[in-house]
Amino acid sequence: MQLPHLAAGLLLWTLLVGGTDLDLKAQESLLLRSLGLRTKPSPRSLAPVPPLLWKMFHNRTLPLARGGKPPNPCWVEEFSVPGNIVRALPDQGGFIHKEEPQSWVCLQKRLYFNFSALEEAEQLTMAQLQIRLSPNSYHVSGSGPPFELSLYKASQMALRGMSTHAYSRKLVVEQSFLHLHGSLLFNVTEVAKEWRAPSKNLGLILEIASPRAGELCSNLNSFLDASLLVVSFTPKHCKSSRAKRSSHFVPAGLSNVCKPRRLYISFSDVGWENWIIAPQGYLANYCLGECPFPLTEELNSTNHAILQTMVHSLDPEGTPQPCCVPVRLSPISILYYDNDDNVVLRHYEDMVVDECGCR
Ligand SMILES: *[C@@H]1O[C@H](CO)[C@@H](O)[C@H](O)[C@H]1NC(C)=O
Ligand SMILES: *[C@@H]1O[C@H](CO)[C@@H](O)[C@H](O)[C@H]1NC(C)=O
Ligand SMILES: *[C@@H]1O[C@H](CO)[C@@H](O)[C@H](O)[C@H]1NC(C)=O
Ligand SMILES: *[C@@H]1O[C@H](CO)[C@@H](O)[C@H](O)[C@H]1NC(C)=O
Protein backbone atom coordinates (compact mmCIF):
# COMPACT_ATOMS: atom_id res chain seq x y z
CA MET A 1 0.00 0.00 0.00
CA GLN A 2 1.37 3.39 -0.93
CA LEU A 3 0.66 5.77 1.89
CA PRO A 4 1.23 8.97 -0.09
CA HIS A 5 -1.71 8.04 -2.27
CA LEU A 6 -4.08 7.35 0.55
CA ALA A 7 -6.86 9.81 0.86
CA ALA A 8 -6.60 10.49 4.55
CA GLY A 9 -10.04 12.03 4.69
CA LEU A 10 -11.61 8.94 3.21
CA LEU A 11 -9.85 6.72 5.69
CA LEU A 12 -11.17 8.90 8.45
CA TRP A 13 -14.60 8.56 6.97
CA THR A 14 -14.25 4.77 6.94
CA LEU A 15 -13.18 4.99 10.54
CA LEU A 16 -16.37 6.78 11.44
CA VAL A 17 -18.95 5.27 9.17
CA GLY A 18 -17.73 1.77 8.49
CA GLY A 19 -16.13 1.36 11.89
CA THR A 20 -18.09 -1.53 13.31
CA ASP A 21 -17.02 -4.03 10.66
CA LEU A 22 -13.42 -3.00 10.46
CA ASP A 23 -10.40 -3.52 12.55
CA LEU A 24 -10.53 0.02 13.87
CA LYS A 25 -7.13 -0.04 15.48
CA ALA A 26 -5.37 -1.14 12.30
CA GLN A 27 -7.25 1.44 10.31
CA GLU A 28 -6.37 4.18 12.77
CA SER A 29 -2.67 3.36 12.84
CA LEU A 30 -2.59 3.33 9.03
CA LEU A 31 -4.10 6.79 9.04
CA LEU A 32 -1.75 8.08 11.73
CA ARG A 33 1.23 6.81 9.73
CA SER A 34 -0.01 8.60 6.67
CA LEU A 35 -0.13 11.73 8.85
CA GLY A 36 3.54 11.17 9.75
CA LEU A 37 2.98 9.96 13.32
CA ARG A 38 4.35 6.82 15.01
CA THR A 39 1.35 6.35 17.31
CA LYS A 40 -1.59 8.38 18.49
CA PRO A 41 0.06 11.25 20.41
CA SER A 42 -0.84 11.65 24.06
CA PRO A 43 0.74 14.95 25.02
CA ARG A 44 1.98 14.99 28.61
CA SER A 45 2.58 18.69 28.93
CA LEU A 46 0.45 20.93 26.80
CA ALA A 47 3.07 23.39 25.61
CA PRO A 48 1.52 26.73 24.72
CA VAL A 49 0.98 27.28 21.01
CA PRO A 50 3.42 29.95 19.76
CA PRO A 51 1.40 33.01 18.67
CA LEU A 52 3.04 32.94 15.23
CA LEU A 53 1.79 29.39 14.62
CA TRP A 54 -1.75 30.43 15.54
CA LYS A 55 -1.48 33.35 13.13
CA MET A 56 -0.21 31.08 10.38
CA PHE A 57 -2.99 28.59 11.04
CA HIS A 58 -5.66 31.29 10.84
CA ASN A 59 -4.01 32.77 7.79
CA ARG A 60 -4.52 29.47 6.01
CA THR A 61 -7.99 28.80 7.28
CA LEU A 62 -9.58 32.22 6.94
CA PRO A 63 -9.41 32.58 3.14
CA LEU A 64 -11.25 29.24 2.88
CA ALA A 65 -13.94 30.21 5.36
CA ARG A 66 -14.53 33.34 3.30
CA GLY A 67 -14.91 31.24 0.18
CA GLY A 68 -11.60 32.38 -1.25
CA LYS A 69 -8.81 30.43 -2.87
CA PRO A 70 -6.97 28.11 -0.48
CA PRO A 71 -3.32 29.06 -0.02
CA ASN A 72 -0.61 26.88 -1.56
CA PRO A 73 -0.20 24.07 0.99
CA CYS A 74 3.49 23.71 0.19
CA TRP A 75 4.56 27.34 0.58
CA VAL A 76 5.06 29.25 3.82
CA GLU A 77 4.16 32.84 3.05
CA GLU A 78 5.50 34.22 6.34
CA PHE A 79 9.07 33.22 5.52
CA SER A 80 8.84 32.92 1.72
CA VAL A 81 10.12 29.36 1.73
CA PRO A 82 8.69 26.03 0.56
CA GLY A 83 7.13 24.03 3.38
CA ASN A 84 4.10 22.00 4.41
CA ILE A 85 5.18 21.38 8.01
CA VAL A 86 5.99 24.00 10.64
CA ARG A 87 7.17 22.77 14.04
CA ALA A 88 7.86 24.64 17.25
CA LEU A 89 10.59 22.72 19.10
CA PRO A 90 11.14 23.64 22.76
CA ASP A 91 14.66 24.21 24.08
CA GLN A 92 15.96 21.34 26.21
CA GLY A 93 19.41 22.69 27.06
CA GLY A 94 20.57 23.53 30.55
CA PHE A 95 22.32 26.48 32.09
CA ILE A 96 26.08 26.37 32.17
CA HIS A 97 27.41 27.03 35.63
CA LYS A 98 30.88 28.35 35.56
CA GLU A 99 33.64 27.15 37.81
CA GLU A 100 35.63 30.38 37.61
CA PRO A 101 33.11 33.13 36.96
CA GLN A 102 34.11 35.56 34.26
CA SER A 103 32.88 38.87 35.46
CA TRP A 104 31.79 40.12 32.04
CA VAL A 105 29.48 37.18 31.28
CA CYS A 106 25.89 37.61 32.41
CA LEU A 107 24.44 34.38 31.13
CA GLN A 108 25.66 31.20 29.57
CA LYS A 109 23.25 28.52 28.46
CA ARG A 110 23.11 25.52 26.20
CA LEU A 111 20.26 25.51 23.68
CA TYR A 112 19.25 22.08 22.49
CA PHE A 113 16.44 21.12 20.12
CA ASN A 114 15.57 17.49 19.58
CA PHE A 115 15.23 16.91 15.85
CA SER A 116 14.05 13.32 16.06
CA ALA A 117 10.51 14.29 15.00
CA LEU A 118 11.78 15.34 11.57
CA GLU A 119 11.52 12.47 9.13
CA GLU A 120 14.38 11.66 6.82
CA ALA A 121 12.37 12.50 3.71
CA GLU A 122 11.68 16.03 4.92
CA GLN A 123 13.72 18.89 3.55
CA LEU A 124 14.44 21.64 6.04
CA THR A 125 13.98 25.08 4.51
CA MET A 126 14.01 27.47 7.46
CA ALA A 127 14.87 27.51 11.17
CA GLN A 128 14.22 30.53 13.32
CA LEU A 129 15.43 30.70 16.90
CA GLN A 130 13.36 32.71 19.34
CA ILE A 131 14.88 33.73 22.66
CA ARG A 132 12.55 35.32 25.18
CA LEU A 133 13.94 37.52 27.94
CA SER A 134 11.87 39.12 30.65
CA PRO A 135 10.65 42.62 29.77
CA ASN A 136 12.99 44.52 32.06
CA SER A 137 16.21 42.57 31.80
CA TYR A 138 19.63 43.86 30.83
CA HIS A 139 19.26 47.61 30.70
CA VAL A 140 22.15 49.96 30.39
CA SER A 141 21.42 53.30 31.93
CA GLY A 142 22.65 56.34 30.10
CA SER A 143 25.22 55.75 27.39
CA GLY A 144 26.87 52.75 28.94
CA PRO A 145 28.58 50.06 26.89
CA PRO A 146 26.23 47.70 25.04
CA PHE A 147 25.56 44.05 25.65
CA GLU A 148 27.02 41.38 23.43
CA LEU A 149 24.79 38.46 22.58
CA SER A 150 26.64 35.54 21.02
CA LEU A 151 25.48 32.20 19.72
CA TYR A 152 28.05 29.48 19.25
CA LYS A 153 27.63 26.16 17.55
CA ALA A 154 28.78 23.45 19.92
CA SER A 155 30.84 20.87 18.12
CA GLN A 156 32.05 18.77 21.01
CA MET A 157 30.10 17.62 24.04
CA ALA A 158 31.28 19.19 27.26
CA LEU A 159 31.84 16.61 29.97
CA ARG A 160 30.82 17.14 33.54
CA GLY A 161 33.53 19.06 35.34
CA MET A 162 34.96 20.61 32.20
CA SER A 163 35.25 24.35 32.21
CA THR A 164 33.27 26.23 29.60
CA HIS A 165 36.41 26.70 27.56
CA ALA A 166 36.56 22.97 27.04
CA TYR A 167 33.66 23.33 24.62
CA SER A 168 34.80 23.26 21.08
CA ARG A 169 32.62 25.96 19.62
CA LYS A 170 32.23 28.16 16.60
CA LEU A 171 30.68 31.61 16.56
CA VAL A 172 27.42 31.76 14.57
CA VAL A 173 25.85 35.07 15.61
CA GLU A 174 27.24 38.08 17.42
CA GLN A 175 25.12 41.13 18.00
CA SER A 176 25.33 44.20 20.23
CA PHE A 177 22.31 45.54 22.05
CA LEU A 178 21.85 48.65 24.11
CA HIS A 179 18.68 47.24 25.65
CA LEU A 180 18.25 43.53 25.82
CA HIS A 181 14.70 42.40 26.60
CA GLY A 182 11.60 40.81 25.16
CA SER A 183 11.67 38.48 22.19
CA LEU A 184 14.73 38.11 19.94
CA LEU A 185 14.70 36.25 16.63
CA PHE A 186 17.68 34.69 14.85
CA ASN A 187 17.88 32.91 11.52
CA VAL A 188 19.80 29.70 12.23
CA THR A 189 18.82 27.80 9.08
CA GLU A 190 22.37 26.86 8.11
CA VAL A 191 23.26 25.42 11.52
CA ALA A 192 19.95 23.61 11.88
CA LYS A 193 20.48 21.83 8.55
CA GLU A 194 23.57 20.20 10.03
CA TRP A 195 21.55 18.97 13.02
CA ARG A 196 19.65 16.48 10.88
CA ALA A 197 22.37 13.93 11.65
CA PRO A 198 21.78 13.09 15.35
CA SER A 199 25.51 12.89 16.15
CA LYS A 200 25.98 16.37 14.70
CA ASN A 201 23.32 17.99 16.87
CA LEU A 202 25.07 19.32 19.94
CA GLY A 203 23.01 22.46 20.00
CA LEU A 204 24.06 26.04 20.53
CA ILE A 205 25.66 27.96 23.34
CA LEU A 206 24.04 31.27 24.18
CA GLU A 207 26.19 33.85 25.87
CA ILE A 208 25.20 37.33 27.02
CA ALA A 209 28.07 39.49 28.12
CA SER A 210 28.72 43.07 29.11
CA PRO A 211 31.83 44.82 30.38
CA ARG A 212 29.71 46.03 33.28
CA ALA A 213 28.12 42.66 33.89
CA GLY A 214 28.66 42.66 37.63
CA GLU A 215 26.36 45.57 38.27
CA LEU A 216 23.98 45.11 35.34
CA CYS A 217 22.96 41.50 35.15
CA SER A 218 23.28 39.53 38.30
CA ASN A 219 20.49 37.00 37.91
CA LEU A 220 19.49 34.37 35.39
CA ASN A 221 15.77 34.95 35.84
CA SER A 222 15.80 37.33 32.91
CA PHE A 223 15.98 34.35 30.55
CA LEU A 224 12.44 33.04 30.03
CA ASP A 225 12.68 30.42 27.32
CA ALA A 226 13.85 29.58 23.81
CA SER A 227 12.21 27.73 20.97
CA LEU A 228 13.01 26.87 17.40
CA LEU A 229 10.52 27.24 14.58
CA VAL A 230 11.42 24.73 11.88
CA VAL A 231 9.86 24.75 8.40
CA SER A 232 10.22 21.68 6.20
CA PHE A 233 8.50 20.02 3.30
CA THR A 234 7.91 16.45 2.21
CA PRO A 235 8.62 16.25 -1.55
CA LYS A 236 6.15 13.39 -2.04
CA HIS A 237 3.32 15.61 -0.82
CA CYS A 238 4.49 18.72 -2.64
CA LYS A 239 4.98 17.52 -6.19
CA SER A 240 1.72 18.36 -7.86
CA SER A 241 0.75 21.91 -8.53
CA ARG A 242 -2.85 21.00 -9.12
CA ALA A 243 -5.12 23.97 -8.67
CA LYS A 244 -7.16 23.33 -5.57
CA ARG A 245 -10.57 24.78 -5.22
CA SER A 246 -12.56 25.79 -2.24
CA SER A 247 -14.34 22.93 -0.58
CA HIS A 248 -17.23 24.99 0.64
CA PHE A 249 -20.01 23.89 -1.58
CA VAL A 250 -23.25 22.42 -0.36
CA PRO A 251 -24.44 19.57 -2.50
CA ALA A 252 -27.98 20.25 -3.58
CA GLY A 253 -30.88 18.21 -4.85
CA LEU A 254 -32.32 14.90 -3.77
CA SER A 255 -31.33 12.98 -6.85
CA ASN A 256 -29.65 9.66 -6.35
CA VAL A 257 -26.93 10.38 -8.91
CA CYS A 258 -23.25 10.25 -7.91
CA LYS A 259 -22.21 13.46 -6.16
CA PRO A 260 -20.43 14.78 -3.06
CA ARG A 261 -22.45 14.58 0.15
CA ARG A 262 -21.93 16.72 3.18
CA LEU A 263 -19.98 15.11 6.03
CA TYR A 264 -18.62 17.01 8.98
CA ILE A 265 -15.92 15.12 10.85
CA SER A 266 -15.48 16.12 14.46
CA PHE A 267 -12.10 15.09 15.86
CA SER A 268 -13.65 14.42 19.24
CA ASP A 269 -15.89 11.78 17.61
CA VAL A 270 -12.79 9.79 16.70
CA GLY A 271 -11.14 10.41 20.08
CA TRP A 272 -8.47 12.73 18.72
CA GLU A 273 -9.45 15.90 20.56
CA ASN A 274 -6.61 15.76 23.11
CA TRP A 275 -3.78 16.03 20.58
CA ILE A 276 -5.38 18.00 17.75
CA ILE A 277 -5.37 21.64 18.78
CA ALA A 278 -7.27 23.04 15.80
CA PRO A 279 -9.55 22.77 13.95
CA GLN A 280 -12.06 20.88 16.11
CA GLY A 281 -13.39 19.26 13.00
CA TYR A 282 -13.86 19.94 9.31
CA LEU A 283 -16.15 19.43 6.36
CA ALA A 284 -14.69 16.31 4.73
CA ASN A 285 -17.64 15.17 2.56
CA TYR A 286 -17.89 11.90 0.72
CA CYS A 287 -19.09 10.51 -2.62
CA LEU A 288 -22.27 8.55 -2.99
CA GLY A 289 -24.76 7.80 -5.72
CA GLU A 290 -25.55 5.91 -8.89
CA CYS A 291 -23.53 5.95 -12.08
CA PRO A 292 -26.43 5.27 -14.48
CA PHE A 293 -26.36 4.73 -18.24
CA PRO A 294 -25.83 6.95 -20.15
CA LEU A 295 -23.11 8.74 -18.15
CA THR A 296 -23.38 12.48 -18.54
CA GLU A 297 -20.48 14.88 -18.65
CA GLU A 298 -21.11 16.14 -15.12
CA LEU A 299 -20.20 12.70 -13.86
CA ASN A 300 -16.54 13.25 -14.77
CA SER A 301 -16.20 9.72 -16.13
CA THR A 302 -13.37 8.03 -17.88
CA ASN A 303 -13.81 6.34 -21.28
CA HIS A 304 -13.49 3.10 -19.39
CA ALA A 305 -16.40 4.01 -17.10
CA ILE A 306 -18.57 4.97 -20.08
CA LEU A 307 -17.94 1.57 -21.67
CA GLN A 308 -18.53 -0.16 -18.35
CA THR A 309 -21.99 1.44 -17.95
CA MET A 310 -22.85 0.41 -21.50
CA VAL A 311 -21.91 -3.18 -20.75
CA HIS A 312 -23.74 -2.96 -17.43
CA SER A 313 -26.93 -1.78 -19.14
CA LEU A 314 -26.75 -4.83 -21.41
CA ASP A 315 -25.74 -7.29 -18.70
CA PRO A 316 -26.66 -5.92 -15.25
CA GLU A 317 -25.89 -9.22 -13.51
CA GLY A 318 -22.46 -9.81 -15.02
CA THR A 319 -20.92 -6.32 -14.87
CA PRO A 320 -21.36 -3.77 -12.07
CA GLN A 321 -21.91 -0.06 -12.55
CA PRO A 322 -18.80 2.13 -12.29
CA CYS A 323 -18.10 3.45 -8.80
CA CYS A 324 -18.84 6.90 -7.48
CA VAL A 325 -15.47 8.06 -6.19
CA PRO A 326 -13.65 11.30 -5.33
CA VAL A 327 -11.96 12.82 -8.37
CA ARG A 328 -10.82 16.01 -6.73
CA LEU A 329 -9.73 16.51 -3.15
CA SER A 330 -8.29 19.50 -1.35
CA PRO A 331 -5.97 19.95 1.63
CA ILE A 332 -6.56 21.27 5.12
CA SER A 333 -4.19 22.58 7.78
CA ILE A 334 -4.05 20.96 11.21
CA LEU A 335 -2.37 22.27 14.35
CA TYR A 336 -1.45 19.46 16.75
CA TYR A 337 0.94 17.98 19.31
CA ASP A 338 3.21 15.28 17.83
CA ASN A 339 4.71 12.22 19.56
CA ASP A 340 7.40 14.39 21.16
CA ASP A 341 4.97 17.06 22.46
CA ASN A 342 6.13 19.55 19.82
CA VAL A 343 3.50 21.90 18.43
CA VAL A 344 3.18 21.24 14.69
CA LEU A 345 1.29 23.01 11.92
CA ARG A 346 0.97 20.69 8.94
CA HIS A 347 -0.87 20.82 5.67
CA TYR A 348 -2.47 17.58 4.65
CA GLU A 349 -3.32 16.77 1.09
CA ASP A 350 -6.51 15.01 0.06
CA MET A 351 -8.58 15.64 3.17
CA VAL A 352 -11.70 17.16 1.63
CA VAL A 353 -13.79 15.77 -1.23
CA ASP A 354 -14.48 18.56 -3.72
CA GLU A 355 -15.79 16.58 -6.68
CA CYS A 356 -16.93 13.08 -7.42
CA GLY A 357 -16.95 11.07 -10.59
CA CYS A 358 -17.94 7.70 -12.01
CA ARG A 359 -14.80 5.64 -12.47
C1 LIG B 1 -0.78 36.17 6.35
O1 LIG B 1 -1.05 36.32 4.97
C2 LIG B 1 -0.69 37.54 4.39
C3 LIG B 1 -1.12 37.54 2.94
O2 LIG B 1 -0.74 36.37 2.29
C4 LIG B 1 0.82 37.77 4.55
O3 LIG B 1 1.19 39.02 4.05
C5 LIG B 1 1.21 37.65 6.03
O4 LIG B 1 2.62 37.75 6.16
C6 LIG B 1 0.74 36.33 6.55
N1 LIG B 1 1.20 36.05 7.90
C7 LIG B 1 0.76 36.56 9.05
C8 LIG B 1 1.42 36.02 10.28
O5 LIG B 1 -0.10 37.40 9.10
C1 LIG C 1 14.91 12.98 21.25
O1 LIG C 1 13.58 12.48 21.23
C2 LIG C 1 13.50 11.08 21.00
C3 LIG C 1 12.05 10.70 20.82
O2 LIG C 1 11.24 11.30 21.78
C4 LIG C 1 14.17 10.34 22.16
O3 LIG C 1 14.11 8.96 21.95
C5 LIG C 1 15.62 10.81 22.26
O4 LIG C 1 16.24 10.22 23.38
C6 LIG C 1 15.71 12.32 22.37
N1 LIG C 1 17.10 12.72 22.31
C7 LIG C 1 17.69 13.48 23.23
C8 LIG C 1 19.12 13.73 23.04
O5 LIG C 1 17.05 13.96 24.18
C1 LIG D 1 18.02 32.66 6.61
O1 LIG D 1 19.34 32.24 6.28
C2 LIG D 1 19.41 31.51 5.07
C3 LIG D 1 20.81 30.97 4.91
O2 LIG D 1 21.77 31.77 5.50
C4 LIG D 1 19.04 32.44 3.92
O3 LIG D 1 19.12 31.74 2.70
C5 LIG D 1 17.62 32.92 4.14
O4 LIG D 1 17.25 33.84 3.16
C6 LIG D 1 17.46 33.54 5.52
N1 LIG D 1 16.02 33.75 5.76
C7 LIG D 1 15.51 34.89 6.21
C8 LIG D 1 14.03 34.92 6.41
O5 LIG D 1 16.22 35.85 6.45
C1 LIG E 1 -17.36 17.05 -12.15
O1 LIG E 1 -16.46 18.14 -12.34
C2 LIG E 1 -17.08 19.41 -12.50
C3 LIG E 1 -16.01 20.44 -12.74
O2 LIG E 1 -14.92 19.89 -13.35
C4 LIG E 1 -17.90 19.76 -11.27
O3 LIG E 1 -18.57 20.99 -11.48
C5 LIG E 1 -18.89 18.67 -10.99
O4 LIG E 1 -19.56 18.94 -9.77
C6 LIG E 1 -18.19 17.31 -10.89
N1 LIG E 1 -19.17 16.25 -10.72
C7 LIG E 1 -19.37 15.70 -9.53
C8 LIG E 1 -20.36 14.59 -9.53
O5 LIG E 1 -18.77 16.02 -8.52
Side-chain angles (χ1 to χ4, degrees), residues 96 102 104-105 107-111 129 148-155 164-165 167-174 188 191 195 202-209:
I96 299 168
Q102 300 145 288
W104 64 91
V105 176
L107 168 82
Q108 222 176 16
K109 190 188 179 302
R110 250 168 71 80
L111 301 175
L129 172 69
E148 285 292 335
L149 184 149
S150 316
L151 287 169
Y152 299 92
K153 184 178 79 176
S155 47
T164 52
H165 294 297
Y167 274 104
S168 157
R169 58 189 205 176
K170 187 168 158 265
L171 187 67
V172 182
V173 173
E174 190 170 46
V188 293
V191 186
W195 292 345
L202 301 175
L204 294 167
I205 296 159
L206 164 69
E207 204 171 84
I208 295 175

Side-chain angles (χ1 to χ4, degrees), residues 72-133:
N72 180 345
C74 290
W75 183 256
V76 177
E77 193 67 52
E78 288 76 4
F79 300 109
S80 299
V81 291
N84 60 334
I85 309 170
V86 186
R87 290 185 177 84
L89 308 180
D91 166 39
Q92 296 172 4
F95 286 96
I96 299 168
H97 297 286
K98 293 159 290 175
E99 313 256 291
E100 338 95 55
Q102 300 145 288
S103 57
W104 64 91
V105 176
C106 305
L107 168 82
Q108 222 176 16
K109 190 188 179 302
R110 250 168 71 80
L111 301 175
Y112 176 79
F113 304 98
N114 190 334
F115 269 44
S116 71
L118 275 82
E119 288 170 61
E120 223 167 284
E122 286 175 37
Q123 294 187 19
L124 193 156
T125 52
M126 208 282 315
Q128 186 185 63
L129 172 69
Q130 180 178 45
I131 295 172
R132 287 199 315 129
L133 303 170

Side-chain angles (χ1 to χ4, degrees), residues 52 55 59 77-78:
L52 181 61
K55 267 197 215 139
N59 230 7
E77 193 67 52
E78 288 76 4

Side-chain angles (χ1 to χ4, degrees), residues 188-311:
V188 293
T189 310
E190 287 307 308
V191 186
K193 277 181 179 164
E194 296 173 21
W195 292 345
R196 300 298 299 279
S199 60
K200 290 268 171 63
N201 183 359
L202 301 175
L204 294 167
I205 296 159
L206 164 69
E207 204 171 84
I208 295 175
S210 164
R212 286 160 62 198
E215 55 178 299
L216 291 168
C217 50
S218 49
N219 60 29
L220 296 178
N221 299 336
S222 48
F223 177 90
L224 296 178
D225 59 48
S227 63
L228 191 70
L229 207 67
V230 181
V231 179
S232 63
F233 75 97
T234 45
K236 69 179 180 189
H237 297 127
C238 292
K239 274 193 302 245
S240 71
S241 54
R242 279 178 293 163
K244 304 282 183 178
R245 268 220 323 230
S246 162
S247 55
H248 287 255
F249 68 99
V250 180
L254 296 167
S255 132
N256 199 26
V257 168
C258 172
K259 68 176 171 222
R261 317 282 167 153
R262 194 185 162 88
L263 170 70
Y264 181 82
I265 291 182
S266 155
F267 289 126
S268 60
D269 287 350
V270 286
W272 285 9
E273 73 277 15
N274 59 350
W275 63 276
I276 293 187
I277 303 164
Q280 289 170 350
Y282 77 105
L283 200 56
N285 306 321
Y286 65 98
C287 295
L288 186 73
E290 302 274 328
C291 290
F293 175 79
L295 283 180
T296 56
E297 208 167 311
E298 298 82 70
L299 290 175
N300 302 308
S301 343
T302 53
N303 287 339
H304 176 271
I306 292 169
L307 286 168
Q308 191 177 332
T309 44
M310 282 170 67
V311 178

